[in-house]
Amino acid sequence: MADRNSRYVKLTRDREQAPLEDITPGELNQPIEVTQLNCRRCNECGQVLPETYQPPADEDWATGICGCAEDTDSCWTGLFCPCVLFGRNLEAMRDDIPWTNACVCHAMCVEGGMALAAVTALFNGIDPETSFLIVEGLFFTWWMCGIYTGLFRQALQKKYHLKDSPCDPCMVHCCLHWCAICQEHREMKNHLSENSSTEGTIISPPPVQEMNTNKEPAPSTKSPPSDEHNNLKIQPI
């Protein structure tokens, strides 16, 4: 008789088993997002930074506002075709906006205002009333251009943590528009060159060495038997 007080448990198999669930490969290895870990921390003390934190704008510009002569290509383009240079700057910073859209907006404000003033002076002559109308139209278009291009300069400063140099971005474009466009072009050009120079060097791995198991037999160094020995015949004495 089996011992009733035995410490062993008898394992029995149920006749009716639960249906098996189909599990796709990799279903159980999905990453889990932990909100407490996905947060920005201070590089010095390691404390968690709030979502509204913005790094201080304490970086200096690579070139000054009057350093247009340092890049002659952008200087000539900004002097004669500022709309084209501004479009290139905006496209280099934002890929979703083509340079033609920014060029047209800039041309409507600056070149369009100048063309309107020239047409008004041509048809109505230069008198006190016409002069006031021309100055008012030019001031309005220049003010709109300063706001539009100043927003781009502000976004550029926010991206690279640049200071307000020499003053507010919109005020810079209102007072020194052509110099500001050239300075922004040089700044992005310098940052792009720094990013390209810091890229890691691509090192190609050495070729894979394989062992050839089917070795061909080494050529024999022995001289082949001469035909004289093969032509020997046995003759009776």
Side-chain angles (χ1 to χ4, degrees):
M1 294 179 65
D3 189 4
R4 296 180 179 178
N5 299 328
S6 177
R7 291 178 298 174
Y8 299 97
V9 179
K10 184 178 181 180
L11 301 177
T12 58
R13 182 177 182 181
D14 297 337
R15 295 180 180 180
E16 297 181 358
Q17 297 180 353
L20 300 178
E21 297 180 0
D22 296 335
I23 300 177
T24 57
E27 182 180 358
L28 301 179
N29 296 329
Q30 298 296 329
I32 300 176
E33 184 178 358
V34 182
T35 57
Q36 290 79 3
L37 298 179
N38 297 335
C39 58
R40 296 187 301 173
R41 296 180 178 273
C42 179
N43 298 329
E44 298 180 358
C45 61
Q47 295 183 359
V48 180
L49 300 175
E51 297 181 358
T52 58
Y53 173 78
Q54 295 294 338
D58 53 0
E59 296 291 336
D60 295 327
W61 291 76
T63 56
I65 190 68
C66 298
C68 300
E70 298 181 10
D71 188 0
T72 56
D73 295 337
S74 63
C75 180
W76 288 112
T77 306
L79 180 61
F80 294 102
C81 299
C83 57
V84 175
L85 185 60
F86 177 74
R88 293 176 181 176
N89 295 345
L90 189 59
E91 186 181 28
M93 184 175 178
R94 296 188 58 179
D95 298 335
D96 56 339
I97 300 178
W99 73 273
T100 53
N101 294 1
C103 181
V104 170
C105 294
H106 186 278
M108 292 175 59
C109 294
V110 179
E111 287 80 356
M114 293 181 178
L116 180 61
V119 170
T120 304
L122 180 63
F123 285 95
N124 299 330
I126 300 177
D127 51 20
E129 295 180 358
T130 306
S131 302
F132 177 78
L133 181 63
I134 292 174
V135 172
E136 185 179 6
L138 289 176
F139 178 78
F140 176 75
T141 54
W142 191 260
W143 176 68
M144 292 296 296
C145 179
I147 294 177
Y148 178 64
T149 54
L151 293 176
F152 165 74
R153 185 179 179 90
Q154 186 178 9
L156 179 66
Q157 294 180 191
K158 183 178 180 181
K159 181 178 181 180
Y160 297 117
H161 314 300
L162 301 173
K163 298 179 180 179
D164 288 343
S165 177
C167 57
D168 184 75
C170 295
M171 187 61 65
V172 171
H173 275 278
C174 288
C175 300
L176 302 171
H177 178 65
W178 285 272
C179 296
I181 292 179
C182 296
Q183 184 189 23
E184 294 160 5
H185 180 79
R186 296 192 305 271
E187 187 70 25
M188 289 190 296
K189 187 177 180 180
N190 292 332
H191 281 281
L192 291 177
S193 61
E194 290 177 359
N195 294 336
S196 60
S197 62
T198 54
E199 291 180 357
T201 305
I202 301 176
I203 302 175
S204 57
V208 180
Q209 299 180 359
E210 298 180 356
M211 298 180 63
N212 189 6
T213 56
N214 300 327
K215 295 182 179 180
E216 297 180 358
S220 177
T221 56
K222 298 181 180 179
S223 60
S226 60
D227 295 340
E228 297 178 356
H229 297 284
N230 296 335
N231 297 330
L232 292 179
K233 296 181 180 180
I234 300 175
Q235 298 180 358
I237 299 175

